[in-house]
Amino acid sequence: MARDLEAYLRPGIASTPFCPGCGHGILMNLILRAIDELEIDMDEMLFVSGIGCAGWIPSPHFNADTLHTLHGRAIAFATGAKMFNPKLKVMVISGDGDLTSIGGNHLIHAARRNTDLTVICANNMIYGMTGGQAASTSPLGARTSTSMDGTIYRPFDLCKLVLGAGAPYAARFAVTQPVSLIKAIKSCLTTTGFTFIEVLSPCPTQFGRRNRYESPADMMNLLMERCISKDEAARMSVEQLKDRIVTGEFTNGRP
Ligand code: SF4
């Protein structure tokens, strides 16, 4: 039977530090729902995060063991913890700046080695907490504090990146797709090996304001308009796919 999610939070936690309209609060809720539905004992889990707003999702909120590590180094710490205690279910939760920009090398090598970790990357397309700089995920033309006229570099496709590096499972969903996201988190937690989810989570403060979104609701609405399933994408032309975000679960057929 579903537990009150408050049972998963540290005593005394009354609010989060996230800005109004930030997607990270939704993601926090969905991770806990997935854990609750699987009835996993939090004492069997370790949550590891790096630096950035998404790093606050597990730490200080979850009533479990957490490691809040150096910028870009969450996967390295998680790998060490898993090697020391292979029985632990280790989940890394952090942002795109932390995991895929500063920490990109750890990401691709953990995928290559198929290290038994679940990595949840909250992708808000920018460095949020540390000043709104361009990340490896910022879309072409996005205004950031380091690309005032729009970034000139193309972003990584994170799912293709980890699958290409050797990860057996990757998924992409937005926080506006809660049912699919819970299912994907549960798939990760019940699969051995390196599993990765890119979660599209809007940052109205650093990304939205610079890129002229009127409100946080506009960012959520745009995600709902743009996200399509793999099946829908398969029926669309290259032109129709422009500006669309293909979501779903992806594998590369490797064990
Ligand atoms: S800066 Fe952006 S990512 Fe960070 S809490 Fe605020 S809205 Fe969320």
Side-chain angles (χ1 to χ4, degrees), residues 201-218:
S201 179
C203 168
T205 301
Q206 295 287 12
F207 191 92
R209 289 198 297 199
R210 282 192 175 84
N211 289 282
R212 314 242 165 94
Y213 287 88
E214 291 284 325
S215 70
D218 282 357

Side-chain angles (χ1 to χ4, degrees), residues 17-19 22 24 53 56 124 128-129 202-206:
F18 306 128
C19 308
C22 178
H24 293 356
C53 302
W56 286 327
N124 57 16
M129 190 188 79
C203 168
T205 301
Q206 295 287 12

Side-chain angles (χ1 to χ4, degrees), residues 120-196:
I120 298 185
C121 176
N123 182 2
N124 57 16
M125 305 183 291
I126 200 164
Y127 280 88
M129 190 188 79
T130 52
Q133 300 92 339
S136 59
T137 46
S138 298
L140 198 61
R143 291 189 191 88
T144 71
S145 64
T146 51
S147 60
M148 310 290 265
D149 295 323
T151 179
I152 57 172
Y153 303 113
R154 288 190 305 162
F156 275 141
D157 179 323
L158 295 181
C159 288
K160 284 185 181 165
L161 180 73
V162 297
L163 290 173
Y169 174 96
R172 177 188 300 116
F173 291 107
V175 291
T176 50
Q177 299 170 291
V179 175
S180 301
L181 204 37
I182 290 175
K183 183 169 166 281
I185 297 167
K186 286 165 70 176
S187 292
C188 287
L189 286 169
T190 51
T191 301
T192 303
F194 187 86
T195 51
F196 177 87

Side-chain angles (χ1 to χ4, degrees), residues 2-255:
R3 294 174 74 189
D4 184 342
L5 292 190
E6 264 189 52
Y8 294 92
L9 299 179
R10 287 201 178 139
I13 296 283
S15 63
T16 70
F18 306 128
C19 308
C22 178
H24 293 356
I26 300 172
L27 175 57
M28 182 162 85
N29 183 318
L30 300 179
I31 292 168
L32 292 178
R33 282 188 189 281
I35 290 169
D36 185 66
E37 287 182 16
L38 291 173
E39 299 184 358
I40 297 174
D41 183 349
M42 291 286 257
D43 286 345
E44 294 171 8
M45 294 199 67
L46 171 69
F47 297 90
V48 187
S49 58
I51 299 303
C53 302
W56 286 327
I57 292 175
S59 163
H61 299 100
F62 290 1
N63 195 4
D65 287 332
T66 57
L67 272 177
H68 204 146
T69 72
L70 305 174
H71 210 174
R73 305 294 174 246
I75 290 176
F77 278 79
T79 301
K82 182 71 187 180
M83 288 175 75
F84 181 75
N85 183 356
K87 287 188 189 151
L88 277 179
K89 273 192 181 299
V90 181
M91 178 181 277
V92 176
I93 306 169
S94 216
D96 49 310
D98 187 68
L99 289 172
T100 76
S101 304
I102 290 184
N105 210 32
H106 297 296
L107 177 71
I108 57 174
H109 287 288
R112 177 177 68 86
R113 295 177 185 128
N114 198 16
T115 309
D116 188 16
L117 304 173
T118 292
V119 177
I120 298 185
C121 176
N123 182 2
N124 57 16
M125 305 183 291
I126 200 164
Y127 280 88
M129 190 188 79
T130 52
Q133 300 92 339
S136 59
T137 46
S138 298
L140 198 61
R143 291 189 191 88
T144 71
S145 64
T146 51
S147 60
M148 310 290 265
D149 295 323
T151 179
I152 57 172
Y153 303 113
R154 288 190 305 162
F156 275 141
D157 179 323
L158 295 181
C159 288
K160 284 185 181 165
L161 180 73
V162 297
L163 290 173
Y169 174 96
R172 177 188 300 116
F173 291 107
V175 291
T176 50
Q177 299 170 291
V179 175
S180 301
L181 204 37
I182 290 175
K183 183 169 166 281
I185 297 167
K186 286 165 70 176
S187 292
C188 287
L189 286 169
T190 51
T191 301
T192 303
F194 187 86
T195 51
F196 177 87
I197 308 179
E198 175 187 1
V199 181
L200 305 168
S201 179
C203 168
T205 301
Q206 295 287 12
F207 191 92
R209 289 198 297 199
R210 282 192 175 84
N211 289 282
R212 314 242 165 94
Y213 287 88
E214 291 284 325
S215 70
D218 282 357
M219 299 186 79
M220 293 285 184
N221 286 334
L222 198 68
L223 274 179
M224 285 195 277
E225 274 170 33
R226 289 194 173 168
C227 286
I228 55 170
S229 70
K230 285 188 299 184
D231 292 345
E232 287 173 287
R235 295 192 291 271
M236 294 170 85
S237 67
V238 173
E239 188 57 31
Q240 288 171 319
L241 282 170
K242 202 162 159 269
D243 292 332
R244 297 302 187 123
I245 302 167
V246 181
T247 62
E249 296 175 278
F250 310 97
T251 59
N252 62 15
R254 291 180 194 162

